[in-house]
């Protein structure tokens, strides 16, 4: 009996490990996970091919010549997306926020998330088919939602979604103001031009077409006021329209700036925290250093400082490796290490050369800010000097 229980427990453990591995594969690729990277590339490529096949499938000449090929792409993508959706529902319980809940409720909560609903709506039109009685053009347009699945792999889509969520209250306020202005404009033209142009302004719903076209500054010109008072009122509405549509642009621009600044803050904070030299600093000191450092991403083989050039900064290696020649030594520095302080402290600004051995993320601190940092943090000055003295010793 105990052997049976042990066997079942082992099977459950293996199943859980398999599920967790598939969760890692289906999530956007983390560094070094080639299976997840291949999965991302295949799915993104299939999304673009599916969108292209859908667009080309609306052109009769192309359908007559390449119809079977386009159908194959659409059918193959539906099969893959359906399998992916089923797999995501199965592995979603491995998400850190869902591991503690009941598997059934965790899966139901996942299925009503925006991305999961997009996945579902993107494949449902295929299963309805011609026998559902729904216009095929509507089903095809719904299937075009498959392209929105790119949001899972695009940081730009995710950034836009976060901005919309963050500024949702402000945007809702602008929408309410726009609705009120739309009603005022339509009601005003109904009162002024209703008797003169009953076909265009005979009722408020009809006048709303003109009001919307005017407020959005599009102005089709198909409906225009005929009276002097109507023209004066229309001009006033145009001015309000320019102002009201500037509001959401300003809100979104500010939201994007705040989101980008927040992301840069988090990234820089994480980069600084990986530098061992700063491990003893408190939050206020790290925040001060963040204002001094500049982050740089360099590909493999990039020359940071040439031999004989003036060294005007020191650098902290966050990721990757850098080959540094200084004080008669050749050093290979990795994550958490730094270079350039030796030249700055020794006042010999031509003693350093450095080149990236791999792709690297660096933090740069120029000479002026370096001196300021040392005057404000005496313990860092001692640490830098000890490291510089060690590196100045030739082999």
């Amino acid at each position: 009996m105990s052997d049976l229980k042990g066997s079942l427990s082992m099977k459950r453990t293996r199943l859980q490990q398999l599920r967790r591995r598939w969760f890692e594969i289906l999530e956007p690729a983390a560094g070094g996970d080639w299976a997840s990277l291949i999965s991302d590339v295949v799915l993104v490529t299939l999304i673009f091919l599916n969108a292209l096949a859908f667009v080309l499938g609306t052109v009769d000449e192309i359908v007559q010549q390449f119809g079977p090929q386009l159908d194959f792409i659409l059918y193959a993508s539906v099969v893959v997306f359906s399998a992916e959706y089923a797999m995501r529902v199965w592995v979603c319980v491995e998400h850190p926020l869902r591991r503690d809940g009941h598997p059934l409720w965790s899966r139901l909560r996942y299925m009503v998330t925006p991305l999961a609903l997009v996945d579902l709506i993107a494949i449902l039109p295929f299963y309805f088919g011609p026998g559902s009685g729904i216009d095929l053009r509507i089903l095809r347009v719904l299937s075009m939602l498959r392209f929105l699945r790119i949001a899972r792999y695009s940081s730009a889509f995710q950034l836009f979604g976060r901005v919309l969520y963050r500024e949702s209250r402000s945007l809702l306020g602008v929408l309410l103001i726009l609705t009120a202005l739309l009603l005022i404009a339509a009601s005003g033209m109904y009162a002024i031009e209703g008797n003169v142009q009953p076909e265009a302004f005979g009722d408020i719903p009809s006048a709303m077409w003109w009001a919307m076209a005017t407020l959005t500054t599009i102005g089709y010109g198909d409906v225009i006021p005929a009276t002097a008072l109507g023209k004066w009122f229309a001009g006033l509405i145009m001015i309000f329209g320019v102002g009201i549509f500037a509001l959401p642009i300003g809100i979104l621009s500010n939201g994007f700036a705040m989101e980008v600044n927040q992301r840069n803050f988090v990234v820089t904070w994480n980069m600084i925290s990986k530098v061992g030299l700063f491990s003893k600093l408190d939050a206020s000191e790290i925040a001060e250093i963040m204002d001094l450092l500049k982050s740089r991403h360099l590909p493999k083989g990039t020359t940071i400082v040439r031999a004989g050039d003036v060294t005007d900064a020191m650098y902290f290696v966050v990721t990757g490796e850098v080959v540094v020649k200084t004080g008669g030594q050749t050093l290979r520095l990795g994550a958490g290490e730094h270079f350039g302080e030796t030249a700055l402290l020794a006042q010999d600004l031509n003693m350093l050369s450095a080149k990236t051995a791999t792709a690297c993320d660096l933090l740069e601190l120029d000479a002026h800010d370096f001196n300021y940092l040392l005057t404000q943090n005496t313990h860092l000055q001692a640490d830098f000097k000890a490291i510089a003295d060690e590196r100045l010793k030739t082999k």
Side-chain angles (χ1 to χ4, degrees):
M1 189 68 178
S2 59
D3 292 341
L4 179 60
K5 289 182 179 180
S7 177
L8 292 175
S9 177
M10 185 178 297
K11 288 182 179 180
R12 282 196 296 267
T13 301
R14 290 177 179 175
L15 182 63
Q16 185 176 6
Q17 291 175 345
L18 178 64
R19 189 173 61 196
R20 184 168 300 174
R21 179 56 184 148
W22 272 106
F23 173 79
E24 295 170 352
I25 292 174
L26 290 175
E27 286 298 295
D33 192 338
W34 285 101
S36 182
L37 179 60
I38 292 172
S39 172
D40 292 349
V41 171
V42 170
L43 290 173
V44 170
T45 303
L46 198 56
I47 289 171
F48 278 101
L49 285 176
N50 191 266
L52 179 64
F54 169 79
V55 173
L56 296 179
T58 61
V59 182
D60 292 337
E61 293 81 0
I62 295 179
V63 171
Q64 292 175 2
Q65 188 172 359
F66 300 102
Q69 291 86 342
L70 296 178
D71 289 340
F72 174 78
I73 293 174
L74 293 175
Y75 293 148
S77 64
V78 167
V79 171
V80 174
F81 293 153
S82 299
E84 181 205 1
Y85 177 78
M87 288 293 294
R88 287 189 183 278
V89 172
W90 178 54
V91 305
C92 70
V93 294
E94 295 299 327
H95 192 283
L97 298 179
R98 301 189 184 94
R99 287 177 184 171
D100 297 332
H102 190 280
L104 176 61
W105 294 115
S106 296
R107 289 187 172 95
L108 289 176
R109 282 196 297 269
Y110 168 76
M111 292 171 68
V112 296
T113 58
L115 284 177
L117 289 174
V118 169
D119 291 344
L120 181 62
I121 296 174
I123 60 176
L124 281 181
F126 174 81
Y127 295 104
F128 280 110
S132 63
I134 303 176
D135 192 336
L136 289 178
R137 288 175 297 179
I138 297 177
L139 293 177
R140 288 175 180 174
V141 171
L142 285 176
S143 66
M144 195 59 180
L145 289 175
R146 293 169 195 164
F147 188 77
L148 295 181
R149 303 174 77 256
I150 203 71
R152 182 175 278 111
Y153 310 96
S154 171
S155 59
F157 270 92
Q158 295 169 12
L159 175 62
F160 184 65
R162 290 195 298 270
V163 171
L164 286 179
Y165 179 78
R166 177 190 290 235
E167 304 296 339
S168 57
R169 291 188 178 182
S170 299
L171 293 173
L172 180 60
V174 172
L175 180 61
L176 292 175
I177 295 173
L178 176 61
T179 302
L181 193 55
L182 177 66
L183 291 172
I184 292 172
S187 301
M189 290 303 288
Y190 164 72
I192 297 171
E193 297 276 337
N195 294 328
V196 180
Q197 300 186 70
E199 70 285 353
F201 301 104
D203 53 70
I204 292 179
S206 298
M208 280 186 175
W209 167 251
W210 170 88
M212 181 57 73
T214 304
L215 282 172
T216 55
T217 69
I218 295 174
Y220 285 111
D222 55 340
V223 180
I224 57 175
T227 64
L229 181 59
K231 292 178 181 178
W232 178 87
F233 183 76
L236 189 63
I237 294 300
M238 292 176 191
I239 295 174
F240 276 108
V242 172
I244 199 65
F245 270 90
L247 285 177
I249 295 174
I251 291 172
L252 290 176
S253 299
N254 183 65
F256 271 104
M258 290 179 62
E259 192 68 31
V260 170
N261 288 337
Q262 183 180 25
R263 183 181 62 181
N264 290 340
F265 177 87
V266 173
V267 170
T268 306
W269 185 285
N270 289 336
M271 293 174 76
I272 292 176
S273 66
K274 294 179 180 179
V275 178
L277 196 64
F278 297 145
S279 60
K280 300 177 182 178
L281 301 182
D282 58 29
S284 61
E285 290 174 320
I286 292 179
E288 182 181 3
I289 293 174
M290 286 176 60
D291 293 331
L292 305 178
L293 295 170
K294 304 177 182 66
S295 61
R296 298 177 62 184
H297 178 78
L298 301 177
K300 179 181 178 181
T302 301
T303 300
I304 305 170
V305 182
R306 289 184 176 86
D309 285 357
V310 174
T311 304
D312 57 357
M314 74 165 294
Y315 302 87
F316 300 90
V317 183
V318 179
T319 62
E321 293 184 336
V322 178
V323 176
V324 178
K325 296 181 179 180
T326 180
Q329 298 187 72
T330 299
L331 307 172
R332 192 178 182 96
L333 305 180
E337 298 183 287
H338 45 85
F339 60 94
E341 75 288 340
T342 306
L344 297 179
L345 288 172
Q347 299 297 311
D348 185 358
L349 303 182
N350 300 93
M351 65 181 295
L352 174 71
S353 66
K355 187 175 183 179
T356 58
T358 64
C360 292
D361 288 310
L362 303 178
L363 293 174
E364 179 182 339
L365 181 68
D366 66 39
H368 175 76
D369 291 333
F370 174 78
N371 293 325
Y372 171 79
L373 180 63
L374 295 189
T375 58
Q376 298 298 315
N377 300 273
T378 55
H379 59 285
L380 284 180
Q381 185 174 8
D383 292 340
F384 279 132
K385 190 174 186 307
I387 295 172
D389 290 341
E390 181 67 25
R391 290 181 179 175
L392 284 172
K393 296 177 182 179
T394 58
K395 294 182 178 181

